[in-house]
Amino acid sequence: QVQLVESGGGVVQPGRSLRLSCVASGFRFSSYGMHWVRQTPGKGLEWVAVIWHDGSDKYYTDSVKGRFTVSRDNSKNALYLQMDSLRGEDTAVYYCARDPGYSDYGATMDVWGQGTAVTVSS
Amino acid sequence: IVMTQSPLFLAVTPGEPASISCRSSQSLLYSDGKKYLDWYLQKPGQSPQLLIYLGSTRASGVPDRFSGSGSGTDFTLTISRVEAEDVGVYYCMQALQISYAFGQGTKLEIK
């Protein structure tokens, strides 16, 4: 069945780095754009980043620009989020999500992973 | 674009209707004629799931008691007859402009 499984979360000190992974199964991964979305108790859901199906374009929310990098390896059906210079406000559950491309413009997320928790604390 | 939902909390008797409002600070009607507004439901202990996309199109497998409507800036999610399995937090999301943005969420409980 169609599935996304995240991993790589954990507890990390401020200023350090962490790399999240998301492995896809049950669909042609290379045909879909992919998003990262995070959820904090205080702020709800926040879109983080998107990468085009072939990795040709990437976009980020302002608060992570220059610190986070989204990438993918279509040969491994894998999506990544490299998080550098982590801050306390990056503490959240991070979800990867598939974009079905229902339209030529805009975004939708039709399949979500179970999430991986990141805690940034000294 | 800022998304504002109301109410933030809703308690509904099973079988009764429910409506959630979502307002965007800018029009989500694009030049292609489509309205870039999605609705998601996060059930307790689960990841969000897609309910409605492009303002009014139900996602695969979503019961027809869920419907979406709206103009460029004002949108509504309607549940015609609430069932116990509908509990959770409902989010709208503007899907037009990067950075995509979610509303604060509306928590639906059963009376």
Side-chain angles (χ1 to χ4, degrees), chain A residues 15 25 34 40 44 47 64 68 73 77-78 82 84 99 103 113 121:
Chain A
S25 59
M34 295 294 296
T40 61
W47 175 82
V64 309
F68 288 13
D73 185 340
N77 291 340
Q82 176 67 39
D84 299 323
D99 193 317
S103 61
S121 174

Side-chain angles (χ1 to χ4, degrees), chain B residues 2-106:
Chain B
V2 178
M3 307 301 293
T4 304
Q5 288 183 230
S6 63
L8 300 185
F9 179 80
L10 201 51
V12 184
T13 301
E16 294 297 304
S19 289
I20 299 170
S21 174
C22 176
R23 178 167 290 181
S24 62
S25 60
Q26 298 178 32
S27 177
L28 301 183
L29 176 62
Y30 191 52
S31 56
D32 61 3
K34 298 176 182 175
K35 298 164 190 172
Y36 285 86
L37 187 283
D38 300 337
W39 288 98
Y40 298 87
L41 164 61
Q42 187 171 31
K43 295 183 177 181
Q46 295 186 18
S47 304
Q49 61 186 83
L50 177 65
L51 291 177
I52 303 283
Y53 61 95
L54 294 176
S56 60
T57 303
R58 274 190 303 277
S60 175
V62 174
D64 60 8
R65 64 179 181 275
F66 289 92
S67 62
S69 62
S71 63
T73 57
D74 289 282
F75 297 88
T76 302
L77 176 70
T78 301
I79 310 172
S80 59
R81 296 173 305 280
V82 170
E83 297 187 5
E85 66 180 23
D86 299 336
V87 297
V89 182
Y90 291 78
Y91 296 93
C92 60
M93 187 195 85
Q94 71 84 4
L96 177 66
Q97 189 180 106
I98 291 172
S99 299
Y100 308 116
F102 293 87
Q104 317 97 299
T106 296

Side-chain angles (χ1 to χ4, degrees), chain A residues 6 10-12 15 22 40 48 79 81 92-93 114 117:
Chain A
E6 300 97 335
V11 180
V12 61
C22 167
T40 61
V48 174
L79 173 74
L81 186 67
V93 174
Q114 86 288 351

Side-chain angles (χ1 to χ4, degrees), chain A residues 63-110:
Chain A
S63 63
V64 309
K65 279 180 187 174
R67 300 189 300 121
F68 288 13
T69 302
V70 60
S71 62
R72 64 192 297 159
D73 185 340
N74 285 343
S75 68
K76 296 182 179 179
N77 291 340
L79 173 74
Y80 305 103
L81 186 67
Q82 176 67 39
M83 304 187 295
D84 299 323
S85 303
L86 281 161
R87 306 169 180 168
E89 54 264 37
D90 297 319
T91 295
V93 174
Y94 285 75
Y95 296 98
C96 61
R98 185 182 81 169
D99 193 317
Y102 287 143
S103 61
D104 292 335
Y105 192 84
T108 294
M109 298 148 198
D110 72 333

Side-chain angles (χ1 to χ4, degrees), chain A residues 1-43:
Chain A
Q1 73 278 24
V2 174
Q3 195 173 9
L4 297 170
V5 178
E6 300 97 335
S7 61
V11 180
V12 61
Q13 293 178 327
R16 303 298 290 264
S17 299
L18 207 58
R19 187 200 200 202
L20 305 183
S21 299
C22 167
V23 176
S25 59
F27 65 97
R28 182 175 289 183
F29 179 70
S30 60
S31 296
Y32 293 85
M34 295 294 296
H35 300 267
W36 285 100
V37 176
R38 64 187 180 184
Q39 184 169 32
T40 61
K43 279 191 158 186

